């Protein structure tokens, strides 16, 4: 039986796994009991391993009235785009019966969901400075970046600009580039860029001058 004390954790958190092994038989004990778990470099675990408890009579044999247990810690590594989430790892116990014949291996798994810490979007909108006349085109440039405490990316990133009447995403024709790895996520080392051409409309006595418009970046954490 394998369990973990935190089913949800952040990058950098240390979680504690507990592995428990029992044995059912005609009353005889199991020998050479060990637990393999590829997540831990100190595996396989035996009665001589750190964090072991349960060999009540100290004979190195797993008796039917004993529960052997190991407690091991694991630190969730820094975020990696290729990481598997949730983290599912499996422990496999092996041993021999009283006659020295191999027992059927048994396994159990424990799962930890990595909860990414939310970051912060940043947006910078610029236009070529100067005075423009009615009917002229102006070019707006919008740049969006993302910062997060664990290095994870932002997803579903869009830019809304009501004054220009657009909602922009990575697939918009105005998207210039910036998704360097092509995964559709705004990574912390990327700057996504859109360029929009806007034609100053004909004069209207109710027009706002200067014309100030606001772009808003939206998205979700990883």
């Amino acid at each position: 039986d394998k369990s973990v004390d935190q089913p949800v954790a952040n990058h950098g958190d240390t979680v504690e796994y507990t592995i428990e092994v029992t044995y059912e038989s005609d009353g005889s004990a199991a020998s050479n009991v060990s637990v393999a778990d590829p997540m831990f470099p100190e595996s396989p675990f035996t009665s001589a391993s750190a964090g072991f408890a349960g060999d009540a009579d100290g004979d190195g044999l797993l008796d039917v009235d004993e529960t052997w247990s190991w407690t091991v810690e694991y630190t969730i590594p820094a975020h990696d785009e290729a990481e598997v989430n949730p983290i599912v790892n499996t422990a496999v116990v092996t041993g021999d019966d009283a006659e020295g014949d191999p027992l059927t291996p048994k396994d159990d798994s424990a799962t930890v969901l990595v909860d990414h810490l939310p970051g912060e979007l940043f947006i910078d909108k610029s236009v070529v400075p100067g005075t423009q006349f009615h009917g002229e085109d102006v070019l707006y440039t919008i740049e969006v970046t993302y910062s997060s405490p664990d290095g994870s990316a932002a997803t579903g990133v869009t830019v809304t600009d009501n004054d220009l009447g657009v909602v922009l995403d990575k697939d918009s024709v105005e998207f210039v580039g910036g998704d360097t790895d092509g995964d559709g996520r705004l990574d912390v080392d990327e700057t996504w860029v859109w360029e929009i051409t806007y034609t100053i409309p004909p004069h209207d006595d109710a027009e706002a001058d200067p014309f100030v418009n606001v772009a808003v970046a939206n998205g979700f954490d990883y």
Side-chain angles (χ1 to χ4, degrees), residues 67-114:
T67 298
W68 284 16
S69 67
W70 293 263
T71 301
V72 287
E73 292 184 341
Y74 178 74
T75 300
I76 308 295
H79 174 75
D80 187 302
E81 289 295 327
E83 71 186 12
V84 176
N85 189 23
I87 299 171
V88 181
N89 70 302
T90 302
V92 181
V93 61
T94 58
D96 300 327
D97 65 15
E99 296 180 348
D101 295 323
L103 295 162
T104 301
K106 294 294 180 67
D107 63 76
D108 194 33
S109 300
T111 300
V112 176
L113 176 67
V114 180

Coordinates of all heavy atoms in Angstrom, one line a residue, residues 67-114:
T67 N 3.8 -5.3 9.9 CA 3.6 -4.4 8.8 C 4.9 -3.6 8.7 O 5.3 -2.9 9.5 CB 2.4 -3.4 9.1 OG1 1.2 -4.1 9.2 CG2 2.3 -2.4 7.9
W68 N 5.5 -3.9 7.6 CA 6.8 -3.2 7.3 C 6.4 -1.9 6.6 O 5.6 -1.9 5.7 CB 7.7 -4.0 6.4 CG 8.4 -5.1 7.2 CD1 8.1 -5.6 8.4 CD2 9.5 -5.9 6.7 NE1 8.9 -6.6 8.7 CE2 9.9 -6.8 7.7 CE3 10.3 -5.8 5.6 CZ2 10.9 -7.7 7.6 CZ3 11.4 -6.7 5.4 CH2 11.7 -7.6 6.5
S69 N 7.1 -0.8 6.9 CA 6.8 0.5 6.3 C 8.1 1.2 6.1 O 9.1 1.1 6.8 CB 5.9 1.3 7.2 OG 6.5 1.7 8.4
W70 N 8.0 2.0 5.0 CA 9.1 3.0 4.7 C 8.5 4.3 4.5 O 7.4 4.5 3.9 CB 9.8 2.6 3.4 CG 10.6 1.3 3.5 CD1 11.9 1.1 3.7 CD2 10.1 0.0 3.3 NE1 12.3 -0.2 3.7 CE2 11.1 -0.9 3.4 CE3 8.8 -0.6 3.0 CZ2 11.0 -2.3 3.3 CZ3 8.6 -1.9 2.9 CH2 9.7 -2.8 3.1
T71 N 9.2 5.4 5.0 CA 8.7 6.7 4.8 C 9.8 7.5 4.1 O 11.0 7.5 4.5 CB 8.5 7.4 6.2 OG1 7.5 6.7 6.9 CG2 8.0 8.9 6.0
V72 N 9.5 8.0 2.9 CA 10.5 8.7 2.1 C 9.9 10.0 1.6 O 8.7 10.2 1.4 CB 10.9 7.8 0.9 CG1 11.8 6.6 1.3 CG2 9.7 7.3 0.1
E73 N 10.8 11.0 1.4 CA 10.4 12.3 1.0 C 10.8 12.5 -0.5 O 11.9 12.0 -1.0 CB 11.0 13.4 1.8 CG 10.5 13.4 3.3 CD 11.0 14.5 4.1 OE1 12.1 15.1 3.7 OE2 10.4 14.9 5.1
Y74 N 10.0 13.3 -1.2 CA 10.3 13.7 -2.6 C 10.0 15.1 -2.8 O 8.9 15.6 -2.4 CB 9.5 12.8 -3.5 CG 9.6 13.1 -5.0 CD1 10.8 12.7 -5.7 CD2 8.7 13.8 -5.7 CE1 10.9 13.0 -7.0 CE2 8.8 14.1 -7.0 CZ 10.0 13.7 -7.7 OH 10.1 14.0 -9.0
T75 N 10.9 15.9 -3.3 CA 10.7 17.3 -3.6 C 10.3 17.5 -5.1 O 11.0 17.0 -6.0 CB 12.0 18.1 -3.3 OG1 12.4 17.9 -2.0 CG2 11.8 19.6 -3.6
I76 N 9.1 18.1 -5.3 CA 8.7 18.4 -6.6 C 9.6 19.2 -7.4 O 9.9 20.4 -6.9 CB 7.3 19.0 -6.6 CG1 6.3 18.2 -5.7 CG2 6.7 19.2 -8.0 CD1 6.0 16.9 -6.2
P77 N 10.2 18.8 -8.5 CA 11.2 19.6 -9.1 C 10.7 20.8 -9.8 O 9.4 21.0 -9.9 CB 11.8 18.6 -10.2 CG 10.7 17.7 -10.5 CD 10.0 17.5 -9.2
A78 N 11.6 21.7 -10.3 CA 11.1 22.9 -11.0 C 10.3 22.6 -12.2 O 10.4 21.5 -12.8 CB 12.4 23.8 -11.3
H79 N 9.5 23.5 -12.6 CA 8.6 23.3 -13.7 C 9.4 23.0 -15.0 O 10.5 23.6 -15.2 CB 7.7 24.5 -14.0 CG 6.9 24.4 -15.2 ND1 5.8 23.6 -15.3 CD2 7.0 25.0 -16.5 CE1 5.3 23.7 -16.6 NE2 6.0 24.5 -17.3
D80 N 8.9 22.1 -15.8 CA 9.5 21.7 -17.1 C 8.4 21.5 -18.0 O 7.4 20.8 -17.7 CB 10.3 20.4 -16.9 CG 11.1 20.1 -18.2 OD1 10.5 19.9 -19.3 OD2 12.3 20.0 -18.1
E81 N 8.5 22.1 -19.2 CA 7.4 22.0 -20.2 C 7.1 20.5 -20.5 O 6.0 20.2 -21.0 CB 7.8 22.7 -21.5 CG 7.8 24.2 -21.4 CD 6.4 24.8 -21.1 OE1 5.4 24.2 -21.6 OE2 6.4 25.8 -20.3
A82 N 8.0 19.6 -20.4 CA 7.8 18.2 -20.7 C 7.4 17.4 -19.5 O 7.2 16.2 -19.6 CB 9.1 17.6 -21.3
E83 N 7.1 18.0 -18.4 CA 6.8 17.3 -17.2 C 5.4 16.6 -17.3 O 4.5 17.0 -18.1 CB 6.7 18.2 -16.0 CG 5.5 19.2 -16.0 CD 5.5 20.2 -14.8 OE1 6.6 20.3 -14.2 OE2 4.5 20.9 -14.6
V84 N 5.3 15.5 -16.6 CA 4.0 14.7 -16.6 C 3.3 15.2 -15.3 O 3.8 15.2 -14.2 CB 4.3 13.2 -16.5 CG1 3.0 12.5 -16.4 CG2 5.1 12.8 -17.8
N85 N 2.0 15.5 -15.5 CA 1.2 16.0 -14.4 C -0.2 15.4 -14.6 O -0.8 15.6 -15.6 CB 1.1 17.6 -14.4 CG 0.4 18.1 -13.2 OD1 0.4 17.5 -12.2 ND2 -0.1 19.3 -13.4
P86 N -0.7 14.7 -13.6 CA -0.1 14.5 -12.3 C 1.1 13.5 -12.2 O 1.3 12.8 -13.2 CB -1.3 13.9 -11.4 CG -2.1 13.2 -12.5 CD -2.0 14.0 -13.7
I87 N 1.8 13.6 -11.1 CA 2.9 12.7 -10.9 C 2.3 11.4 -10.4 O 1.8 11.3 -9.3 CB 4.0 13.2 -10.0 CG1 4.5 14.5 -10.6 CG2 5.1 12.2 -9.7 CD1 5.4 15.3 -9.6
V88 N 2.5 10.3 -11.1 CA 2.0 9.0 -10.7 C 3.2 8.1 -10.6 O 3.9 7.9 -11.6 CB 1.0 8.4 -11.6 CG1 0.5 7.0 -11.1 CG2 -0.2 9.3 -11.8
N89 N 3.5 7.5 -9.4 CA 4.7 6.6 -9.4 C 4.2 5.3 -8.6 O 3.3 5.4 -7.8 CB 5.9 7.2 -8.7 CG 5.8 7.5 -7.3 OD1 4.9 8.2 -6.9 ND2 6.6 6.9 -6.5
T90 N 4.9 4.3 -9.0 CA 4.5 2.9 -8.5 C 5.6 2.2 -7.8 O 6.8 2.2 -8.2 CB 4.1 2.1 -9.7 OG1 3.0 2.7 -10.4 CG2 3.6 0.7 -9.3
A91 N 5.2 1.6 -6.7 CA 6.2 0.8 -5.9 C 5.8 -0.6 -6.1 O 4.6 -1.0 -6.1 CB 6.1 1.2 -4.4
V92 N 6.8 -1.5 -6.2 CA 6.7 -2.9 -6.5 C 7.4 -3.7 -5.4 O 8.6 -3.5 -5.2 CB 7.2 -3.3 -7.9 CG1 7.0 -4.8 -8.1 CG2 6.5 -2.5 -9.0
V93 N 6.7 -4.5 -4.7 CA 7.3 -5.3 -3.6 C 7.6 -6.8 -4.1 O 6.8 -7.3 -4.9 CB 6.5 -5.4 -2.4 CG1 5.1 -6.0 -2.6 CG2 7.2 -6.1 -1.2
T94 N 8.8 -7.3 -3.8 CA 9.1 -8.6 -4.2 C 9.7 -9.3 -2.9 O 10.1 -8.7 -1.9 CB 10.2 -8.7 -5.3 OG1 11.3 -7.9 -4.9 CG2 9.6 -8.1 -6.6
G95 N 9.8 -10.6 -3.0 CA 10.3 -11.4 -1.8 C 10.2 -12.9 -2.1 O 9.7 -13.3 -3.2
D96 N 10.7 -13.7 -1.2 CA 10.6 -15.1 -1.3 C 9.8 -15.7 -0.2 O 9.7 -15.2 0.9 CB 12.0 -15.7 -1.2 CG 12.9 -15.2 -2.3 OD1 12.4 -14.9 -3.4 OD2 14.2 -15.0 -2.1
D97 N 9.2 -16.9 -0.4 CA 8.5 -17.6 0.6 C 9.5 -18.4 1.5 O 10.7 -18.3 1.3 CB 7.4 -18.5 0.0 CG 8.0 -19.6 -0.8 OD1 9.2 -19.9 -0.7 OD2 7.2 -20.3 -1.6
A98 N 8.9 -19.1 2.4 CA 9.8 -19.8 3.4 C 10.7 -20.9 2.8 O 11.7 -21.2 3.4 CB 8.9 -20.5 4.5
E99 N 10.3 -21.3 1.6 CA 11.1 -22.3 0.9 C 12.1 -21.7 -0.1 O 12.8 -22.4 -0.8 CB 10.2 -23.3 0.2 CG 9.4 -24.1 1.1 CD 8.5 -25.1 0.4 OE1 8.4 -25.0 -0.9 OE2 7.9 -26.0 1.0
G100 N 12.1 -20.3 -0.1 CA 13.0 -19.6 -1.0 C 12.6 -19.4 -2.4 O 13.3 -18.9 -3.2
D101 N 11.3 -19.7 -2.6 CA 10.7 -19.5 -4.0 C 10.2 -18.1 -4.1 O 9.6 -17.6 -3.2 CB 9.6 -20.5 -4.2 CG 10.1 -22.0 -4.3 OD1 11.2 -22.2 -4.8 OD2 9.4 -22.9 -3.8
P102 N 10.4 -17.5 -5.3 CA 9.9 -16.1 -5.5 C 8.4 -16.0 -5.3 O 7.6 -16.8 -5.8 CB 10.3 -15.8 -6.9 CG 11.4 -16.7 -7.2 CD 11.1 -18.0 -6.5
L103 N 8.0 -15.0 -4.6 CA 6.6 -14.6 -4.5 C 6.1 -13.8 -5.6 O 6.9 -13.1 -6.3 CB 6.3 -13.9 -3.2 CG 6.6 -14.7 -1.9 CD1 6.8 -13.7 -0.7 CD2 5.5 -15.7 -1.6
T104 N 4.8 -13.8 -5.9 CA 4.3 -13.0 -7.0 C 4.4 -11.5 -6.6 O 4.0 -11.1 -5.5 CB 2.8 -13.3 -7.2 OG1 2.7 -14.6 -7.6 CG2 2.2 -12.4 -8.3
P105 N 5.1 -10.7 -7.4 CA 5.3 -9.3 -7.1 C 3.9 -8.6 -7.0 O 3.0 -8.9 -7.8 CB 6.1 -8.7 -8.2 CG 6.8 -9.9 -8.8 CD 5.8 -11.0 -8.7
K106 N 3.8 -7.6 -6.1 CA 2.6 -6.8 -6.0 C 3.0 -5.3 -6.1 O 4.1 -4.9 -5.7 CB 1.9 -7.1 -4.7 CG 1.3 -8.5 -4.6 CD 0.2 -8.7 -5.6 CE -0.4 -10.1 -5.5 NZ -1.1 -10.3 -4.2
D107 N 2.1 -4.5 -6.6 CA 2.4 -3.1 -6.7 C 1.3 -2.2 -6.3 O 0.1 -2.6 -6.2 CB 2.8 -2.7 -8.2 CG 1.7 -3.0 -9.2 OD1 0.7 -2.1 -9.2 OD2 1.7 -4.0 -9.9
D108 N 1.6 -0.9 -6.0 CA 0.6 0.1 -5.7 C 1.1 1.4 -6.1 O 2.4 1.6 -6.1 CB 0.2 0.0 -4.2 CG -1.1 0.8 -3.9 OD1 -2.0 0.9 -4.8 OD2 -1.2 1.4 -2.9
S109 N 0.2 2.3 -6.4 CA 0.7 3.7 -6.9 C 0.1 4.8 -6.0 O -0.9 4.6 -5.3 CB 0.2 3.9 -8.4 OG 0.7 2.9 -9.2
A110 N 0.8 5.9 -6.1 CA 0.3 7.1 -5.4 C 0.4 8.3 -6.4 O 1.3 8.3 -7.3 CB 1.1 7.4 -4.2
T111 N -0.6 9.2 -6.3 CA -0.7 10.3 -7.3 C -0.6 11.7 -6.6 O -1.2 11.9 -5.5 CB -2.0 10.2 -8.0 OG1 -2.1 9.0 -8.7 CG2 -2.1 11.4 -9.0
V112 N 0.2 12.6 -7.2 CA 0.3 13.9 -6.7 C 0.0 14.9 -7.9 O 0.7 14.8 -8.9 CB 1.7 14.3 -6.1 CG1 1.8 15.7 -5.7 CG2 2.0 13.4 -4.9
L113 N -0.9 15.7 -7.7 CA -1.3 16.7 -8.7 C -0.4 18.0 -8.5 O -0.4 18.5 -7.4 CB -2.8 17.1 -8.7 CG -3.2 18.2 -9.7 CD1 -3.1 17.7 -11.1 CD2 -4.7 18.6 -9.4
V114 N 0.3 18.4 -9.5 CA 1.1 19.6 -9.4 C 0.2 20.8 -9.7 O -0.3 21.0 -10.8 CB 2.3 19.6 -10.3 CG1 3.1 20.9 -10.1 CG2 3.2 18.4 -10.0

